Amino acid sequence: MWPNNSAAPFLLTGFLGSEGIHHWISIPFFAIYLSTFFGNATLLILIWNDHSLHDPMYFFLAMLAGTDLGMTLTTMPTVLGVLLLDQREIAHGACFTQSYFIHTLAIVESGILLAMAYDRFIAIRAPLRYKSILTNSRVMKIGLGVLLRGFVSILPPILPLYWFPYCRSHVLSHAFCLHQDVMKLACADITFNRLYPVILVAMTFFLDALIIVFSYILILKTVMSIASGEEQAKALNTCVSHISCVLVFYITVIGLTFIHRFGRHAPHVVHITMSYVYFLFPPFMNPLIYSIKTNQIQRSFVRLFSGHSRA
C-alpha cells in the first residue's frame, strides 16, 4: 500500500491487549480531559477578570494554567481518537509537531514552577520590596524567557526527525507522539538524538528542581527567624499551593524516568500508565490545588458564578 515505507503514517497505540474495551477506557480519560480543560480555563478567566488577582503570583499561576491547557489540547485529540474512535494513523508532520509541543510544554512548566519559587522567595525574603522587584514588565520578561527556553531548546532534536528515513516498523508505543519513540524508528544515526535529551533534562528539569529546593531552604531559614509562630504559619501557608504543584510535577517526572530507565522488565501497561499519569495528573491537579488552598481564588470563583461585578 505504501511503496515508500518511509512515507507511511505512524500508528499510535492505546492499551495493548485491551483494545476491545478502549471505548470504556475512554470514559475516564474524557472526564479527566474535560475537568482539566474546565479547571485551567476557569483559572485563566478568573485572573483575567478579577483585578484583585492582578499580582505577580497570579500572573505566574495564569502562565501555569495556560501551559497545562496547552498540554491538554496537544494530547487530547490523538488519545481520545485512539481510545474512542480507533483512529491510529498520524501523518509524519503532525506527529513531529505534536512531539515538539509536548516536550516544549513540559520544559515550560518546569520553568514556570521555578519562576513561582522565585516569586515566593521575594515575597517572604523582601516583602516590602515585592512589587518593586516583581513589576509587571519583569514578570512578562521572566515569562517570555521561560517560553523561549522551552520552544528553542527542543528544536535541535525535533528538526532532524523531519528528514530521517523511516524504514522500520511505524508502530509507536503511545496514543501520542514522543521524541524517544519516534527516533527509535529512524533508519539513521540517532546518536545526537539520544545524547542531547539527557543533557537537556539535566540543564532544565534537574537544575530547576535543584534551584527550587535551594530557594525553599532560604525561605525556611527566613521563616524560622520570625518570632511569632502565627506569622511563621501564615508565611509558610502562602507557599503550600506552590510546593504541592512542585511535588506533583517532579514526582511524576521522577516516576516516569525510573520506569523508563530501570523498569525494562515491567509490564507494558505500567509504562503506558505512567506516561498518562505524567501528562494528565499535573494539569488536572494544579487548578484543584490552587482552588482549594487559595482564598482569593475561591472568592473570585464565587463572584464569577454568582454574577457579581469584578473586583
Side-chain angles (χ1 to χ4, degrees):
M1 182 177 178
W2 299 95
N4 177 9
N5 195 39
S6 187
F10 292 115
L11 296 176
L12 302 170
T13 303
F15 289 86
L16 286 175
S18 303
E19 289 82 359
I21 59 169
H22 269 178
H23 58 290
W24 292 110
I25 298 174
S26 70
I27 295 173
F29 273 86
F30 180 78
I32 292 170
Y33 272 124
L34 191 63
S35 300
T36 302
F37 180 86
F38 176 77
N40 287 290
T42 301
L43 271 183
L44 287 172
I45 293 169
L46 291 178
I47 295 168
W48 176 269
N49 282 306
D50 194 335
H51 290 289
S52 70
L53 300 180
H54 289 185
D55 283 328
M57 171 183 171
Y58 298 107
F59 290 147
F60 287 127
L61 178 57
M63 294 177 198
L64 184 66
T67 303
D68 287 337
L69 200 58
M71 185 68 81
T72 299
L73 295 174
T74 299
T75 59
M76 181 172 64
T78 54
V79 171
L80 293 182
V82 170
L83 296 179
L84 194 58
L85 305 174
D86 196 33
Q87 292 182 347
R88 295 184 58 203
E89 290 190 359
I90 184 170
H92 287 202
C95 185
F96 304 150
T97 302
Q98 184 186 48
S99 175
Y100 172 72
F101 279 105
I102 285 175
H103 294 294
T104 292
L105 291 171
I107 290 178
V108 168
E109 177 135 354
S110 180
I112 292 171
L113 290 172
L114 174 59
M116 294 173 84
Y118 174 65
D119 168 79
R120 292 299 84 206
F121 173 79
I122 298 298
I124 291 175
R125 296 275 289 192
L128 298 179
R129 296 192 296 130
Y130 175 67
K131 289 199 174 182
S132 64
I133 294 174
L134 283 174
T135 60
N136 289 346
S137 62
R138 185 161 292 174
V139 170
M140 288 179 62
K141 288 175 183 176
I142 292 172
L144 184 60
V146 168
L147 283 175
L148 283 176
R149 185 186 73 158
F151 279 85
V152 172
S153 63
I154 288 296
L155 280 173
I158 295 296
L159 285 177
L161 299 180
Y162 283 88
W163 58 73
F164 279 161
Y166 297 94
C167 53
R168 299 192 180 100
S169 165
H170 279 52
V171 179
L172 300 171
S173 59
H174 297 81
F176 41 77
C177 293
L178 297 177
H179 167 261
Q180 58 265 34
D181 266 357
V182 176
M183 73 172 184
K184 292 175 184 176
L185 305 182
C187 299
D189 182 3
I190 59 171
T191 303
F192 173 79
N193 284 65
R194 286 186 181 276
L195 295 178
Y196 182 88
V198 175
I199 298 170
L200 184 61
V201 166
M203 297 301 292
T204 52
F205 294 112
F206 180 75
L207 187 59
D208 290 353
L210 204 61
I211 297 172
I212 290 171
V213 169
F214 181 68
S215 70
Y216 270 104
I217 291 173
L218 296 178
I219 287 172
L220 193 60
K221 185 179 176 183
T222 302
V223 171
M224 290 300 104
S225 67
I226 300 173
S228 167
E230 185 180 342
E231 289 180 356
Q232 288 179 354
K234 186 178 178 181
L236 287 175
N237 192 53
T238 65
C239 302
V240 170
S241 297
H242 176 250
I243 292 171
S244 300
C245 291
V246 168
L247 290 175
V248 165
F249 181 76
Y250 285 105
I251 286 175
T252 55
V253 168
I254 292 168
L256 185 63
T257 302
F258 267 84
I259 284 293
H260 278 309
R261 297 293 178 189
F262 306 110
R264 294 179 182 177
H265 301 296
H268 180 71
V269 68
V270 174
H271 288 263
I272 299 302
T273 302
M274 275 304 302
S275 296
Y276 286 122
V277 168
Y278 171 67
F279 290 112
L280 292 176
F281 194 56
F284 175 75
M285 288 300 298
N286 290 342
L288 277 179
I289 290 168
Y290 272 92
S291 298
I292 292 169
K293 294 298 298 178
T294 311
N295 292 331
Q296 294 94 319
I297 295 288
Q298 294 171 8
R299 288 195 293 268
S300 183
F301 185 85
V302 171
R303 281 196 296 269
L304 177 68
F305 287 96
S306 65
H308 290 185
S309 59
R310 61 187 179 183

